[in-house]
Amino acid sequence: SLQKEIEKQWYQRRVRGEKDEFLDSVYWIRQIVAVVFGILWGVIKFKGLLGILVYIIINLGIIFLYYASYHEIDEEEYGGHGELAKEGLLTSFSLFLVFWIIL
């Protein structure tokens, strides 16, 4: 009983740690994508709403491929596609805009 409770707590911490690590990797991949595409959009002089929409589609597509193909996770464990799509999206969008506008 005490041993089972300790094992249960240890397992929950390990699973929570793995989830946090995965969400951290999603966050940082988004930031890298934002910098790369912000610079690219600035260099090729991509402008307007089309540039923003293409960036968002590419960003969401890369993250979807990352967790669906590479990690093969069950997205429901993380709150579904919507939660994974939102993880770090606004901060990466801000970073993308900064690099795009500067260049």
Side-chain angles (χ1 to χ4, degrees), residues 58-93:
I58 289 172
N59 191 313
L60 292 173
I62 288 172
I63 294 303
F64 177 76
L65 289 174
Y66 175 69
Y67 74 78
S69 300
Y70 181 69
H71 275 286
E72 298 177 352
I73 63 153
D74 179 16
E75 64 276 349
E76 294 306 318
E77 290 181 25
Y78 296 89
H81 293 292
E83 289 299 317
L84 287 169
K86 290 189 300 187
E87 180 68 29
L89 183 61
L90 289 179
T91 54
S92 70
F93 181 67

Side-chain angles (χ1 to χ4, degrees), residues 3-101:
Q3 182 181 2
K4 287 182 181 180
E5 185 63 31
I6 291 171
E7 289 174 0
K8 180 181 171 186
Q9 292 296 324
W10 180 80
Y11 176 75
Q12 288 177 347
R13 284 189 191 136
R14 187 172 58 88
V15 168
R16 193 175 315 121
E18 290 173 0
K19 286 183 179 181
D20 289 344
E21 286 177 18
F22 175 72
L23 292 175
D24 286 347
S25 69
V26 168
Y27 176 86
W28 286 108
I29 287 171
R30 281 193 193 270
Q31 305 319 304
I32 292 167
V33 167
V35 170
V36 169
F37 281 94
I39 291 171
L40 183 63
W41 268 216
V43 169
I44 63 173
K45 306 293 184 205
F46 211 170
K47 294 184 181 182
L49 183 61
L50 181 63
I52 292 172
L53 293 176
V54 170
Y55 165 74
I56 290 174
I57 290 169
I58 289 172
N59 191 313
L60 292 173
I62 288 172
I63 294 303
F64 177 76
L65 289 174
Y66 175 69
Y67 74 78
S69 300
Y70 181 69
H71 275 286
E72 298 177 352
I73 63 153
D74 179 16
E75 64 276 349
E76 294 306 318
E77 290 181 25
Y78 296 89
H81 293 292
E83 289 299 317
L84 287 169
K86 290 189 300 187
E87 180 68 29
L89 183 61
L90 289 179
T91 54
S92 70
F93 181 67
S94 301
L95 190 59
F96 162 75
L97 287 177
V98 167
F99 277 89
W100 187 22
I101 291 168

